[in-house]
mmCIF file of all heavy atoms in Angstrom:
data_model
loop_
_atom_site.group_PDB
_atom_site.id
_atom_site.type_symbol
_atom_site.label_atom_id
_atom_site.label_comp_id
_atom_site.label_asym_id
_atom_site.label_seq_id
_atom_site.Cartn_x
_atom_site.Cartn_y
_atom_site.Cartn_z
ATOM 1 N N PHE Y 1 -4.171 -0.903 -3.998
ATOM 2 C CA PHE Y 1 -5.245 -0.069 -4.443
ATOM 3 C C PHE Y 1 -6.514 -0.598 -3.890
ATOM 4 O O PHE Y 1 -6.627 -1.760 -3.424
ATOM 5 C CB PHE Y 1 -5.342 0.012 -5.975
ATOM 6 C CG PHE Y 1 -4.244 0.789 -6.639
ATOM 7 C CD1 PHE Y 1 -2.909 0.274 -6.721
ATOM 8 C CD2 PHE Y 1 -4.446 2.002 -7.189
ATOM 9 C CE1 PHE Y 1 -1.904 0.977 -7.330
ATOM 10 C CE2 PHE Y 1 -3.454 2.769 -7.745
ATOM 11 C CZ PHE Y 1 -2.231 2.219 -7.843
ATOM 12 N N ARG Y 2 -7.599 0.148 -3.999
ATOM 13 C CA ARG Y 2 -8.902 -0.337 -3.586
ATOM 14 C C ARG Y 2 -9.985 0.237 -4.460
ATOM 15 O O ARG Y 2 -9.844 1.300 -5.041
ATOM 16 C CB ARG Y 2 -9.210 -0.058 -2.155
ATOM 17 C CG ARG Y 2 -9.387 1.445 -1.796
ATOM 18 C CD ARG Y 2 -9.496 1.662 -0.268
ATOM 19 N NE ARG Y 2 -9.711 3.071 0.075
ATOM 20 C CZ ARG Y 2 -9.719 3.544 1.322
ATOM 21 N NH1 ARG Y 2 -9.521 2.691 2.317
ATOM 22 N NH2 ARG Y 2 -9.913 4.782 1.552
ATOM 23 N N GLN Y 3 -11.055 -0.519 -4.567
ATOM 24 C CA GLN Y 3 -12.229 -0.065 -5.392
ATOM 25 C C GLN Y 3 -13.495 -0.360 -4.613
ATOM 26 O O GLN Y 3 -13.827 -1.526 -4.404
ATOM 27 C CB GLN Y 3 -12.156 -0.752 -6.771
ATOM 28 C CG GLN Y 3 -13.202 -0.151 -7.710
ATOM 29 C CD GLN Y 3 -12.869 -0.604 -9.156
ATOM 30 O OE1 GLN Y 3 -12.203 -1.511 -9.404
ATOM 31 N NE2 GLN Y 3 -13.483 0.134 -10.073
ATOM 32 N N ALA Y 4 -14.215 0.743 -4.315
ATOM 33 C CA ALA Y 4 -15.593 0.516 -3.775
ATOM 34 C C ALA Y 4 -16.666 0.504 -4.781
ATOM 35 O O ALA Y 4 -16.392 0.957 -5.921
ATOM 36 C CB ALA Y 4 -15.805 1.686 -2.811
ATOM 37 N N PRO Y 5 -17.791 -0.069 -4.516
ATOM 38 C CA PRO Y 5 -18.862 -0.181 -5.535
ATOM 39 C C PRO Y 5 -19.216 1.209 -6.070
ATOM 40 O O PRO Y 5 -19.410 2.155 -5.379
ATOM 41 C CB PRO Y 5 -20.011 -0.794 -4.736
ATOM 42 C CG PRO Y 5 -19.381 -1.493 -3.628
ATOM 43 C CD PRO Y 5 -18.187 -0.704 -3.263
ATOM 44 N N GLY Y 6 -19.211 1.261 -7.470
ATOM 45 C CA GLY Y 6 -19.547 2.507 -8.097
ATOM 46 C C GLY Y 6 -18.505 3.532 -8.153
ATOM 47 O O GLY Y 6 -18.718 4.671 -8.577
ATOM 48 N N LYS Y 7 -17.345 3.232 -7.643
ATOM 49 C CA LYS Y 7 -16.186 4.207 -7.661
ATOM 50 C C LYS Y 7 -15.070 3.686 -8.416
ATOM 51 O O LYS Y 7 -14.919 2.517 -8.725
ATOM 52 C CB LYS Y 7 -15.853 4.453 -6.207
ATOM 53 C CG LYS Y 7 -16.900 5.171 -5.407
ATOM 54 C CD LYS Y 7 -16.339 5.589 -3.989
ATOM 55 C CE LYS Y 7 -17.385 6.375 -3.270
ATOM 56 N NZ LYS Y 7 -16.839 6.815 -1.919
ATOM 57 N N GLU Y 8 -14.149 4.636 -8.772
ATOM 58 C CA GLU Y 8 -12.963 4.248 -9.473
ATOM 59 C C GLU Y 8 -11.946 3.660 -8.554
ATOM 60 O O GLU Y 8 -11.990 3.876 -7.271
ATOM 61 C CB GLU Y 8 -12.346 5.473 -10.116
ATOM 62 C CG GLU Y 8 -13.188 6.043 -11.283
ATOM 63 C CD GLU Y 8 -12.514 7.145 -12.011
ATOM 64 O OE1 GLU Y 8 -11.371 7.527 -11.614
ATOM 65 O OE2 GLU Y 8 -13.012 7.582 -13.071
ATOM 66 N N ARG Y 9 -11.016 2.860 -9.110
ATOM 67 C CA ARG Y 9 -9.978 2.237 -8.270
ATOM 68 C C ARG Y 9 -9.041 3.354 -7.811
ATOM 69 O O ARG Y 9 -8.635 4.241 -8.594
ATOM 70 C CB ARG Y 9 -9.196 1.188 -9.140
ATOM 71 C CG ARG Y 9 -8.305 0.353 -8.304
ATOM 72 C CD ARG Y 9 -7.749 -0.823 -9.163
ATOM 73 N NE ARG Y 9 -8.821 -1.620 -9.606
ATOM 74 C CZ ARG Y 9 -8.670 -2.855 -10.198
ATOM 75 N NH1 ARG Y 9 -7.437 -3.305 -10.392
ATOM 76 N NH2 ARG Y 9 -9.696 -3.588 -10.627
ATOM 77 N N GLU Y 10 -8.694 3.310 -6.569
ATOM 78 C CA GLU Y 10 -7.852 4.444 -5.949
ATOM 79 C C GLU Y 10 -6.652 3.931 -5.294
ATOM 80 O O GLU Y 10 -6.694 2.733 -4.721
ATOM 81 C CB GLU Y 10 -8.685 5.261 -5.027
ATOM 82 C CG GLU Y 10 -9.115 4.523 -3.769
ATOM 83 C CD GLU Y 10 -9.837 5.490 -2.791
ATOM 84 O OE1 GLU Y 10 -10.068 6.689 -3.037
ATOM 85 O OE2 GLU Y 10 -10.192 4.991 -1.668
ATOM 86 N N PHE Y 11 -5.631 4.694 -5.249
ATOM 87 C CA PHE Y 11 -4.368 4.314 -4.599
ATOM 88 C C PHE Y 11 -4.538 4.362 -3.095
ATOM 89 O O PHE Y 11 -5.227 5.135 -2.533
ATOM 90 C CB PHE Y 11 -3.282 5.375 -4.995
ATOM 91 C CG PHE Y 11 -1.979 5.245 -4.180
ATOM 92 C CD1 PHE Y 11 -1.115 4.314 -4.558
ATOM 93 C CD2 PHE Y 11 -1.721 6.138 -3.241
ATOM 94 C CE1 PHE Y 11 0.101 4.148 -3.845
ATOM 95 C CE2 PHE Y 11 -0.515 6.049 -2.482
ATOM 96 C CZ PHE Y 11 0.394 5.086 -2.820
ATOM 97 N N VAL Y 12 -3.926 3.346 -2.444
ATOM 98 C CA VAL Y 12 -3.894 3.248 -0.996
ATOM 99 C C VAL Y 12 -2.517 3.425 -0.401
ATOM 100 O O VAL Y 12 -2.226 4.293 0.425
ATOM 101 C CB VAL Y 12 -4.435 1.909 -0.472
ATOM 102 C CG1 VAL Y 12 -4.351 1.750 0.964
ATOM 103 C CG2 VAL Y 12 -5.917 1.780 -0.937
ATOM 104 N N ALA Y 13 -1.541 2.662 -0.836
ATOM 105 C CA ALA Y 13 -0.171 2.667 -0.371
ATOM 106 C C ALA Y 13 0.807 1.977 -1.288
ATOM 107 O O ALA Y 13 0.331 1.153 -2.053
ATOM 108 C CB ALA Y 13 -0.133 1.994 1.043
ATOM 109 N N ALA Y 14 2.038 2.364 -1.257
ATOM 110 C CA ALA Y 14 3.052 1.777 -2.036
ATOM 111 C C ALA Y 14 4.322 1.683 -1.266
ATOM 112 O O ALA Y 14 4.584 2.453 -0.310
ATOM 113 C CB ALA Y 14 3.242 2.597 -3.296
ATOM 114 N N ILE Y 15 5.186 0.659 -1.696
ATOM 115 C CA ILE Y 15 6.459 0.619 -1.097
ATOM 116 C C ILE Y 15 7.530 0.285 -2.212
ATOM 117 O O ILE Y 15 7.225 -0.499 -3.104
ATOM 118 C CB ILE Y 15 6.478 -0.549 -0.057
ATOM 119 C CG1 ILE Y 15 7.773 -0.613 0.716
ATOM 120 C CG2 ILE Y 15 6.052 -1.869 -0.678
ATOM 121 C CD1 ILE Y 15 7.700 -1.570 1.958
ATOM 122 N N GLY Y 16 8.655 0.923 -2.097
ATOM 123 C CA GLY Y 16 9.771 0.694 -3.000
ATOM 124 C C GLY Y 16 10.331 -0.636 -2.909
ATOM 125 O O GLY Y 16 10.143 -1.356 -1.917
ATOM 126 N N GLY Y 17 11.105 -1.053 -3.949
ATOM 127 C CA GLY Y 17 11.755 -2.383 -3.977
ATOM 128 C C GLY Y 17 12.865 -2.560 -3.029
ATOM 129 O O GLY Y 17 12.743 -3.201 -1.964
ATOM 130 N N ILE Y 18 13.962 -1.927 -3.378
ATOM 131 C CA ILE Y 18 15.146 -2.092 -2.566
ATOM 132 C C ILE Y 18 15.189 -1.080 -1.437
ATOM 133 O O ILE Y 18 15.585 -1.468 -0.307
ATOM 134 C CB ILE Y 18 16.408 -1.976 -3.470
ATOM 135 C CG1 ILE Y 18 16.385 -3.116 -4.500
ATOM 136 C CG2 ILE Y 18 17.676 -2.013 -2.629
ATOM 137 C CD1 ILE Y 18 17.487 -3.042 -5.546
ATOM 138 N N ASP Y 19 14.857 0.129 -1.702
ATOM 139 C CA ASP Y 19 14.967 1.131 -0.652
ATOM 140 C C ASP Y 19 13.774 1.092 0.330
ATOM 141 O O ASP Y 19 13.890 1.601 1.425
ATOM 142 C CB ASP Y 19 15.012 2.516 -1.201
ATOM 143 C CG ASP Y 19 13.716 3.011 -1.925
ATOM 144 O OD1 ASP Y 19 12.805 2.192 -1.936
ATOM 145 O OD2 ASP Y 19 13.731 4.108 -2.447
ATOM 146 N N ARG Y 20 12.703 0.396 0.000
ATOM 147 C CA ARG Y 20 11.550 0.201 0.862
ATOM 148 C C ARG Y 20 10.954 1.538 1.369
ATOM 149 O O ARG Y 20 10.330 1.566 2.417
ATOM 150 C CB ARG Y 20 11.918 -0.693 2.051
ATOM 151 C CG ARG Y 20 12.350 -2.041 1.651
ATOM 152 C CD ARG Y 20 12.416 -3.035 2.722
ATOM 153 N NE ARG Y 20 13.100 -4.277 2.301
ATOM 154 C CZ ARG Y 20 12.906 -5.456 2.929
ATOM 155 N NH1 ARG Y 20 12.027 -5.528 3.921
ATOM 156 N NH2 ARG Y 20 13.575 -6.481 2.485
ATOM 157 N N SER Y 21 11.113 2.544 0.587
ATOM 158 C CA SER Y 21 10.388 3.848 0.899
ATOM 159 C C SER Y 21 8.916 3.607 0.815
ATOM 160 O O SER Y 21 8.504 2.763 0.011
ATOM 161 C CB SER Y 21 10.853 4.897 0.064
ATOM 162 O OG SER Y 21 10.676 4.631 -1.344
ATOM 163 N N THR Y 22 8.091 4.383 1.509
ATOM 164 C CA THR Y 22 6.723 4.134 1.517
ATOM 165 C C THR Y 22 5.953 5.429 1.213
ATOM 166 O O THR Y 22 6.458 6.548 1.409
ATOM 167 C CB THR Y 22 6.151 3.589 2.898
ATOM 168 O OG1 THR Y 22 6.543 4.473 3.907
ATOM 169 C CG2 THR Y 22 6.723 2.222 3.121
ATOM 170 N N HIS Y 23 4.687 5.307 0.721
ATOM 171 C CA HIS Y 23 3.936 6.493 0.331
ATOM 172 C C HIS Y 23 2.467 6.069 0.602
ATOM 173 O O HIS Y 23 2.107 4.866 0.252
ATOM 174 C CB HIS Y 23 4.130 6.859 -1.042
ATOM 175 C CG HIS Y 23 3.339 8.022 -1.479
ATOM 176 N ND1 HIS Y 23 3.424 9.217 -0.926
ATOM 177 C CD2 HIS Y 23 2.390 8.144 -2.489
ATOM 178 C CE1 HIS Y 23 2.615 10.139 -1.501
ATOM 179 N NE2 HIS Y 23 1.992 9.442 -2.425
ATOM 180 N N TYR Y 24 1.654 6.923 1.183
ATOM 181 C CA TYR Y 24 0.289 6.619 1.481
ATOM 182 C C TYR Y 24 -0.680 7.616 0.969
ATOM 183 O O TYR Y 24 -0.357 8.904 0.922
ATOM 184 C CB TYR Y 24 0.124 6.495 3.071
ATOM 185 C CG TYR Y 24 0.962 5.405 3.665
ATOM 186 C CD1 TYR Y 24 2.204 5.675 4.192
ATOM 187 C CD2 TYR Y 24 0.430 4.118 3.864
ATOM 188 C CE1 TYR Y 24 2.953 4.627 4.722
ATOM 189 C CE2 TYR Y 24 1.135 3.105 4.409
ATOM 190 C CZ TYR Y 24 2.389 3.415 4.901
ATOM 191 O OH TYR Y 24 3.136 2.348 5.421
ATOM 192 N N ALA Y 25 -1.928 7.145 0.765
ATOM 193 C CA ALA Y 25 -2.953 8.133 0.525
ATOM 194 C C ALA Y 25 -3.306 8.853 1.791
ATOM 195 O O ALA Y 25 -3.215 8.264 2.839
ATOM 196 C CB ALA Y 25 -4.243 7.415 -0.046
ATOM 197 N N ASN Y 26 -3.701 10.107 1.654
ATOM 198 C CA ASN Y 26 -4.074 10.853 2.907
ATOM 199 C C ASN Y 26 -5.111 10.213 3.725
ATOM 200 O O ASN Y 26 -5.076 10.292 4.951
ATOM 201 C CB ASN Y 26 -4.467 12.314 2.500
ATOM 202 C CG ASN Y 26 -3.284 13.109 2.050
ATOM 203 O OD1 ASN Y 26 -2.137 12.892 2.373
ATOM 204 N ND2 ASN Y 26 -3.581 14.082 1.198
ATOM 205 N N SER Y 27 -6.063 9.480 3.032
ATOM 206 C CA SER Y 27 -7.155 8.934 3.763
ATOM 207 C C SER Y 27 -6.783 7.775 4.682
ATOM 208 O O SER Y 27 -7.617 7.426 5.519
ATOM 209 C CB SER Y 27 -8.183 8.442 2.738
ATOM 210 O OG SER Y 27 -7.644 7.471 1.886
ATOM 211 N N VAL Y 28 -5.630 7.186 4.454
ATOM 212 C CA VAL Y 28 -5.206 6.064 5.291
ATOM 213 C C VAL Y 28 -3.944 6.309 6.107
ATOM 214 O O VAL Y 28 -3.523 5.512 6.901
ATOM 215 C CB VAL Y 28 -4.953 4.759 4.360
ATOM 216 C CG1 VAL Y 28 -6.205 4.491 3.552
ATOM 217 C CG2 VAL Y 28 -3.680 4.897 3.600
ATOM 218 N N LYS Y 29 -3.386 7.430 5.881
ATOM 219 C CA LYS Y 29 -2.071 7.808 6.548
ATOM 220 C C LYS Y 29 -2.347 7.686 8.069
ATOM 221 O O LYS Y 29 -3.300 8.311 8.615
ATOM 222 C CB LYS Y 29 -1.631 9.095 6.163
ATOM 223 C CG LYS Y 29 -0.151 9.436 6.379
ATOM 224 C CD LYS Y 29 0.282 10.720 5.646
ATOM 225 C CE LYS Y 29 0.164 10.659 4.182
ATOM 226 N NZ LYS Y 29 0.679 11.893 3.546
ATOM 227 N N GLY Y 30 -1.356 7.087 8.793
ATOM 228 C CA GLY Y 30 -1.459 6.910 10.238
ATOM 229 C C GLY Y 30 -2.316 5.741 10.690
ATOM 230 O O GLY Y 30 -2.339 5.377 11.889
ATOM 231 N N ARG Y 31 -3.052 5.154 9.804
ATOM 232 C CA ARG Y 31 -3.878 4.014 10.096
ATOM 233 C C ARG Y 31 -3.398 2.692 9.444
ATOM 234 O O ARG Y 31 -3.503 1.637 9.967
ATOM 235 C CB ARG Y 31 -5.370 4.185 9.741
ATOM 236 C CG ARG Y 31 -5.989 5.426 10.385
ATOM 237 C CD ARG Y 31 -7.479 5.437 10.138
ATOM 238 N NE ARG Y 31 -7.772 5.622 8.709
ATOM 239 C CZ ARG Y 31 -8.529 4.763 7.997
ATOM 240 N NH1 ARG Y 31 -9.022 3.676 8.583
ATOM 241 N NH2 ARG Y 31 -8.729 4.941 6.688
ATOM 242 N N PHE Y 32 -2.903 2.857 8.176
ATOM 243 C CA PHE Y 32 -2.422 1.702 7.441
ATOM 244 C C PHE Y 32 -0.933 1.691 7.316
ATOM 245 O O PHE Y 32 -0.287 2.735 7.334
ATOM 246 C CB PHE Y 32 -2.945 1.729 6.003
ATOM 247 C CG PHE Y 32 -4.488 1.503 5.887
ATOM 248 C CD1 PHE Y 32 -5.300 1.520 6.954
ATOM 249 C CD2 PHE Y 32 -5.016 1.291 4.655
ATOM 250 C CE1 PHE Y 32 -6.698 1.254 6.881
ATOM 251 C CE2 PHE Y 32 -6.420 1.103 4.477
ATOM 252 C CZ PHE Y 32 -7.186 1.084 5.592
ATOM 253 N N THR Y 33 -0.305 0.469 7.356
ATOM 254 C CA THR Y 33 1.119 0.287 7.143
ATOM 255 C C THR Y 33 1.452 -0.720 6.086
ATOM 256 O O THR Y 33 0.923 -1.850 6.248
ATOM 257 C CB THR Y 33 1.765 -0.115 8.487
ATOM 258 O OG1 THR Y 33 1.462 0.817 9.487
ATOM 259 C CG2 THR Y 33 3.306 -0.187 8.254
ATOM 260 N N ILE Y 34 2.158 -0.339 5.093
ATOM 261 C CA ILE Y 34 2.607 -1.264 4.093
ATOM 262 C C ILE Y 34 4.034 -1.727 4.404
ATOM 263 O O ILE Y 34 4.852 -0.996 4.813
ATOM 264 C CB ILE Y 34 2.510 -0.651 2.628
ATOM 265 C CG1 ILE Y 34 2.728 -1.693 1.579
ATOM 266 C CG2 ILE Y 34 3.488 0.514 2.531
ATOM 267 C CD1 ILE Y 34 2.493 -1.167 0.155
ATOM 268 N N SER Y 35 4.266 -3.012 4.149
ATOM 269 C CA SER Y 35 5.544 -3.599 4.419
ATOM 270 C C SER Y 35 5.814 -4.740 3.307
ATOM 271 O O SER Y 35 4.869 -5.128 2.715
ATOM 272 C CB SER Y 35 5.699 -4.092 5.841
ATOM 273 O OG SER Y 35 4.766 -5.100 6.082
ATOM 274 N N ARG Y 36 7.000 -5.194 3.312
ATOM 275 C CA ARG Y 36 7.317 -6.346 2.359
ATOM 276 C C ARG Y 36 8.347 -7.242 2.949
ATOM 277 O O ARG Y 36 9.182 -6.791 3.708
ATOM 278 C CB ARG Y 36 7.729 -5.763 1.009
ATOM 279 C CG ARG Y 36 9.078 -5.032 1.026
ATOM 280 C CD ARG Y 36 9.257 -4.337 -0.267
ATOM 281 N NE ARG Y 36 9.453 -5.230 -1.359
ATOM 282 C CZ ARG Y 36 9.268 -4.917 -2.684
ATOM 283 N NH1 ARG Y 36 8.887 -3.689 -3.029
ATOM 284 N NH2 ARG Y 36 9.376 -5.843 -3.633
ATOM 285 N N ASP Y 37 8.294 -8.473 2.512
ATOM 286 C CA ASP Y 37 9.349 -9.469 2.842
ATOM 287 C C ASP Y 37 9.894 -10.017 1.516
ATOM 288 O O ASP Y 37 9.215 -10.795 0.875
ATOM 289 C CB ASP Y 37 8.732 -10.579 3.637
ATOM 290 C CG ASP Y 37 9.742 -11.629 4.057
ATOM 291 O OD1 ASP Y 37 10.814 -11.745 3.457
ATOM 292 O OD2 ASP Y 37 9.474 -12.338 5.085
ATOM 293 N N ASN Y 38 11.006 -9.454 1.095
ATOM 294 C CA ASN Y 38 11.542 -9.858 -0.247
ATOM 295 C C ASN Y 38 11.949 -11.356 -0.323
ATOM 296 O O ASN Y 38 11.955 -11.852 -1.361
ATOM 297 C CB ASN Y 38 12.702 -8.951 -0.579
ATOM 298 C CG ASN Y 38 12.251 -7.567 -0.953
ATOM 299 O OD1 ASN Y 38 11.101 -7.303 -1.300
ATOM 300 N ND2 ASN Y 38 13.151 -6.587 -0.937
ATOM 301 N N ALA Y 39 12.328 -11.903 0.833
ATOM 302 C CA ALA Y 39 12.703 -13.335 0.869
ATOM 303 C C ALA Y 39 11.481 -14.186 0.583
ATOM 304 O O ALA Y 39 11.599 -15.325 0.122
ATOM 305 C CB ALA Y 39 13.349 -13.684 2.187
ATOM 306 N N GLN Y 40 10.296 -13.744 0.938
ATOM 307 C CA GLN Y 40 9.082 -14.492 0.793
ATOM 308 C C GLN Y 40 8.236 -13.985 -0.369
ATOM 309 O O GLN Y 40 7.089 -14.532 -0.622
ATOM 310 C CB GLN Y 40 8.239 -14.418 2.049
ATOM 311 C CG GLN Y 40 8.896 -14.966 3.325
ATOM 312 C CD GLN Y 40 9.067 -16.438 3.160
ATOM 313 O OE1 GLN Y 40 8.227 -17.203 2.620
ATOM 314 N NE2 GLN Y 40 10.180 -17.006 3.674
ATOM 315 N N ASN Y 41 8.754 -12.993 -1.095
ATOM 316 C CA ASN Y 41 8.008 -12.442 -2.266
ATOM 317 C C ASN Y 41 6.609 -12.059 -1.857
ATOM 318 O O ASN Y 41 5.606 -12.347 -2.560
ATOM 319 C CB ASN Y 41 7.888 -13.505 -3.459
ATOM 320 C CG ASN Y 41 9.143 -13.537 -4.203
ATOM 321 O OD1 ASN Y 41 10.213 -13.124 -3.809
ATOM 322 N ND2 ASN Y 41 9.028 -14.052 -5.426
ATOM 323 N N THR Y 42 6.459 -11.348 -0.683
ATOM 324 C CA THR Y 42 5.223 -11.022 -0.190
ATOM 325 C C THR Y 42 5.154 -9.577 0.272
ATOM 326 O O THR Y 42 6.159 -9.038 0.797
ATOM 327 C CB THR Y 42 4.860 -11.893 1.041
ATOM 328 O OG1 THR Y 42 4.879 -13.274 0.534
ATOM 329 C CG2 THR Y 42 3.474 -11.591 1.589
ATOM 330 N N VAL Y 43 4.032 -8.938 0.036
ATOM 331 C CA VAL Y 43 3.797 -7.606 0.528
ATOM 332 C C VAL Y 43 2.607 -7.605 1.481
ATOM 333 O O VAL Y 43 1.676 -8.412 1.218
ATOM 334 C CB VAL Y 43 3.649 -6.579 -0.634
ATOM 335 C CG1 VAL Y 43 2.456 -6.858 -1.463
ATOM 336 C CG2 VAL Y 43 3.603 -5.154 -0.089
ATOM 337 N N TYR Y 44 2.592 -6.768 2.467
ATOM 338 C CA TYR Y 44 1.482 -6.804 3.451
ATOM 339 C C TYR Y 44 0.857 -5.307 3.533
ATOM 340 O O TYR Y 44 1.533 -4.296 3.233
ATOM 341 C CB TYR Y 44 2.070 -7.133 4.804
ATOM 342 C CG TYR Y 44 2.763 -8.449 4.883
ATOM 343 C CD1 TYR Y 44 4.186 -8.517 4.745
ATOM 344 C CD2 TYR Y 44 2.055 -9.664 4.955
ATOM 345 C CE1 TYR Y 44 4.780 -9.753 4.805
ATOM 346 C CE2 TYR Y 44 2.694 -10.861 5.006
ATOM 347 C CZ TYR Y 44 4.063 -10.856 4.889
ATOM 348 O OH TYR Y 44 4.696 -12.139 4.869
ATOM 349 N N LEU Y 45 -0.345 -5.324 4.044
ATOM 350 C CA LEU Y 45 -1.069 -4.041 4.397
ATOM 351 C C LEU Y 45 -1.701 -4.309 5.689
ATOM 352 O O LEU Y 45 -2.675 -5.011 5.797
ATOM 353 C CB LEU Y 45 -2.056 -3.633 3.314
ATOM 354 C CG LEU Y 45 -2.728 -2.346 3.482
ATOM 355 C CD1 LEU Y 45 -1.644 -1.201 3.348
ATOM 356 C CD2 LEU Y 45 -3.828 -2.088 2.560
#
């Protein structure tokens, strides 16, 4: 999620646990990529 000054916190991107399906806000689609490494307990943007 992200929050700009004076604005509400908004969704950016999400990724499922086991199936790793992804979903993006329209404002970032095509520019941002979410991924995860379950062995390292880490998620990336």
Side-chain angles (χ1 to χ4, degrees):
F1 286 76
R2 67 187 182 187
Q3 188 167 17
K7 295 188 177 181
E8 292 187 352
R9 193 169 297 189
E10 65 175 5
F11 171 79
V12 174
I15 185 167
I18 297 173
D19 67 1
R20 304 194 187 203
S21 59
T22 58
H23 180 61
Y24 297 91
N26 287 335
S27 58
V28 306
K29 201 172 293 184
R31 300 188 298 122
F32 291 10
T33 302
I34 189 170
S35 61
R36 65 190 295 159
D37 183 340
N38 287 342
Q40 297 295 323
N41 282 18
T42 302
V43 63
Y44 304 97
L45 185 69

